[in-house]
Amino acid sequence: MNQLPGVLSAHVAAPLVQDSTARAMGVRISANPAEPCPDMTRVTALPDQMDFDVAADETVLEAAVRSGVPFAHACGGRAKCSTCRVWILAGLEACPDRNSAEAAMADRLRLTNEVRLACQLKPEGDLRVRRLVLDETDMMITSQLGASAATRSGEAKHVAVFFSDIANFTALSETLSPYDVMYLLNRYFAQVGEIIEQNGGFIDNFIGDGLMAVFGMNDQPDAPLRAVNAALQTLGTVDRLKPFFASMYGIDFDIRIGLNYGEAVIGTLGFAGHGRLTAVGDMVNVASRIEAANKEAGTRLLISESLRAEIVGKVEVADFLRVRLRGTGERTSLFEVVGLKPEIDAELNAKPPRETVRHGGRRWVRAIAENELQPHERRILDFEDYDVVVVRGADGYCAFNNACPHLHLPLYERRSPAQTEGLQIPHTESTITSDHGLVCRWHQSCFDLLTGEIRRWAQLQQDGTAPGYEYAGDISKNRARLAIYPCRQQDGFVWIGLD
């Protein structure tokens, strides 16, 4: 038998149990090792081509270690690491249902029925299995000790893949400073990332100016439609960003999106401590090529025929084209999507109406339950024409328009700092002082959160512009107040007065 070297030697191999010891343990020993012992089941382990017997109340791992078969078990057989996993090649019907410990690991890693943990499996008949952890590298890859909850082993799954990139990005980046390139990308990614997550998608990767996302990781039945909805909302967001980037940098900002649907392999790739959940397979490559086809077609959003088949009758298709995608020899049909059918849009994107009452000559809208926010926490709420920030202070609530009245940029990002970690958004958050002041993140003016008045004006340059935001022009005479909305608490809810 070949002994595995290095780190596995402490976890996989054990001396053969002497006959006397085995008998003391109650293990029946066959006179002929090639024949199974009475009251035992026989397991054949590949790639070792070794047979060993398992006693009635013994696990496959215990029997393997007793018999000198090099099974990995980094956690000591407690269903914490999954390194003892085996593939059942024959005898699956002899495997009892998973116990709670094995079921928890199987759910976490999306293990198929044929993959079992040897440390928990007590077979009721003969088995033929293949060890799936063979050396130190395998052990490092598969061990779940300290792994994140997002870690998964490979599984085939039907998903929708979203690819996007920025049109003419190379030329655009040559006109901008490195700082501005990163700011532009991160501002765009922060907003698009939120759209994808709201539609149940998973952001797979940022590749330069490109973004890859996957819909259906958790078997959502409407994943194809959600992917299209996210793509359309992303294009809408880009259209709203265009004036901002045009005025700030003098550029024409636009993106292109390609969507595909089919079977991909979902799993965690990388090495210890640096793995990430991703989708791989030909359908992923095709999605990237569909995105690239927009350039020649002069379109912004193209989807594959396989994805269209999943959402037929639910989207507005402007046109279709037959193209030969890069790296393929056959022509394929792609479809340009311009919107959802009105009834589908209303169903998918409907926002529940907020309760509204008239009180004291003002329209009050029920915003949140009082217990939704802890002291010093905030929430950004969508209203018809603007976003409102609601903040819970030590002695009550305050609400204000989420826009600097001078530069017309958001005072707070929708995501929390923890959610934006890794996006490298270059600006800090606006801050609230202990005496109900709000310091603008953009030009450091301080507003009174009770009245909206400016307490302290910004440090401006001689020409009246804010450093870094010269595009906005002279704002020295624009002493506009911050829009403040009164709050009141009633019946366990916070109400905001909007007019």
Side-chain angles (χ1 to χ4, degrees):
M1 179 185 69
N2 293 327
Q3 175 77 11
L4 292 180
V7 65
L8 284 185
S9 61
H11 299 285
V12 298
L16 290 173
V17 178
Q18 299 297 320
D19 287 1
S20 59
T21 304
R23 292 190 182 93
M25 295 168 56
V27 177
R28 299 286 299 279
I29 303 298
S30 173
N32 184 356
E35 297 178 358
C37 300
D39 303 325
M40 290 191 176
T41 58
R42 170 61 61 92
V43 174
T44 300
L46 302 177
D48 315 279
Q49 292 291 350
M50 295 183 66
D51 295 336
F52 59 95
D53 297 318
V54 184
D57 196 37
E58 197 175 24
T59 68
V60 170
L61 176 63
E62 290 169 340
V65 171
R66 170 175 55 76
S67 302
V69 182
F71 270 57
H73 50 288
C75 71
R78 296 174 295 160
K80 299 295 185 183
C81 69
S82 87
T83 58
C84 68
R85 68 178 75 167
V86 294
W87 187 281
I88 308 298
L89 300 174
L92 184 60
E93 67 281 357
C95 297
D97 293 340
R98 294 183 171 106
N99 60 24
S100 58
E102 184 182 7
M105 182 64 75
D107 288 344
R108 177 179 178 181
L109 298 182
R110 309 297 200 273
L111 299 180
T112 62
N113 291 336
E114 294 81 9
V115 179
R116 300 296 298 264
L117 299 187
C119 70
Q120 304 298 310
L121 176 59
K122 297 180 179 180
E124 298 170 351
D126 294 348
L127 300 179
R128 188 166 180 264
V129 305
R130 177 179 295 277
R131 290 192 297 117
L132 297 180
V133 178
L134 304 178
D135 57 20
E136 295 94 329
T137 300
D138 284 351
M139 188 170 177
M140 179 181 67
I141 292 172
T142 59
S143 178
Q144 296 301 303
L145 297 176
S148 71
T151 302
R152 297 188 188 181
S153 61
E155 58 180 325
K157 191 180 290 289
H158 277 80
V159 294
V161 174
F162 172 119
F163 260 98
S164 71
D165 78 347
I166 298 173
N168 304 314
F169 179 72
T170 300
L172 293 180
S173 61
E174 290 174 351
T175 67
L176 303 176
S177 71
Y179 172 90
D180 288 330
V181 169
M182 295 306 298
Y183 173 77
L184 179 151
L185 285 174
N186 284 311
R187 185 160 185 80
Y188 160 64
F189 284 145
Q191 297 194 47
V192 175
E194 182 180 7
I195 291 171
I196 288 170
E197 291 184 350
Q198 285 178 342
N199 281 280
F202 169 80
I203 299 175
D204 183 294
N205 202 9
F206 298 100
I207 312 165
D209 63 308
L211 181 151
M212 174 182 166
V214 182
F215 294 78
M217 284 276 201
N218 296 315
D219 302 309
Q220 298 94 325
D222 60 349
L225 185 60
R226 291 284 181 181
V228 173
N229 192 49
L232 291 168
Q233 290 179 344
T234 296
L235 293 176
T237 294
V238 167
D239 289 340
R240 290 190 292 273
L241 283 172
K242 282 184 176 182
F244 170 74
F245 287 136
S247 63
M248 190 166 185
Y249 301 120
I251 62 173
D252 182 17
F253 181 82
D254 206 355
I255 69 166
R256 297 180 288 249
I257 302 174
L259 302 178
N260 191 22
Y261 181 77
E263 187 176 83
V265 176
I266 308 298
T268 302
L269 285 182
F271 62 97
H274 297 272
R276 65 178 180 85
L277 192 61
T278 189
V280 296
D282 186 58
M283 69 84 61
V284 177
N285 300 328
V286 171
S288 175
R289 293 163 184 163
I290 292 172
E291 179 277 311
N294 281 287
K295 184 175 182 180
E296 296 297 326
T299 53
R300 303 175 77 195
L301 172 58
L302 291 174
I303 68 172
S304 66
E305 193 165 11
S306 60
L307 192 143
R308 178 178 178 270
E310 297 293 320
I311 57 174
V312 65
K314 297 181 180 181
V315 299
E316 302 282 0
V317 176
D319 201 358
F320 78 96
L321 56 149
R322 295 280 293 172
V323 298
R324 183 177 289 109
L325 296 176
R326 186 182 71 249
T328 64
E330 299 179 355
R331 288 189 175 273
T332 185
S333 295
L334 302 179
F335 300 84
E336 181 186 8
V337 175
V338 294
L340 302 178
K341 294 286 187 181
E343 63 275 15
I344 300 300
D345 185 32
E347 177 184 342
L348 198 60
N349 299 311
K351 294 181 179 179
R354 297 183 185 274
E355 184 178 348
T356 303
V357 298
R358 299 293 300 184
H359 177 76
R362 184 185 294 271
R363 180 170 67 100
W364 294 85
V365 177
R366 193 173 78 176
I368 58 173
E370 290 185 45
N371 60 4
E372 283 189 44
L373 292 181
Q374 298 300 314
H376 311 298
E377 285 188 339
R378 68 174 184 276
R379 180 76 54 80
I380 300 176
L381 304 178
D382 291 326
F383 289 94
E384 294 87 351
D385 301 314
Y386 41 78
D387 295 341
V388 173
V389 181
V390 181
V391 178
R392 181 176 181 179
D395 53 358
Y397 295 82
C398 62
F400 52 89
N401 188 15
N402 187 33
C404 166
H406 309 119
L407 293 177
H408 307 291
L409 297 174
L411 295 164
Y412 287 99
E413 298 293 339
R414 288 187 171 276
R415 295 181 169 194
S416 67
Q419 291 174 306
T420 55
E421 184 178 357
L423 289 180
Q424 300 176 350
I425 293 177
H427 293 282
T428 59
E429 293 284 293
S430 300
T431 57
I432 296 177
T433 65
S434 59
D435 59 348
H436 301 95
L438 174 73
V439 180
C440 173
R441 64 191 286 203
W442 302 104
H443 56 78
Q444 305 305 305
S445 291
C446 183
F447 301 94
D448 190 308
L449 284 179
L450 300 179
T451 66
E453 298 289 345
I454 298 173
R455 288 184 182 176
R456 184 184 70 249
W457 187 233
Q459 296 294 321
L460 302 179
Q461 301 177 117
Q462 289 186 352
D463 60 359
T465 60
Y469 305 98
E470 290 81 4
Y471 74 93
D474 183 355
I475 63 172
S476 62
K477 296 179 181 179
N478 176 17
R479 300 295 181 102
R481 301 166 49 188
L482 178 66
I484 301 294
Y485 305 102
C487 296
R488 66 186 182 94
Q489 297 165 242
Q490 182 177 335
D491 301 327
F493 291 96
V494 178
W495 298 72
I496 299 176
L498 294 183
D499 58 21

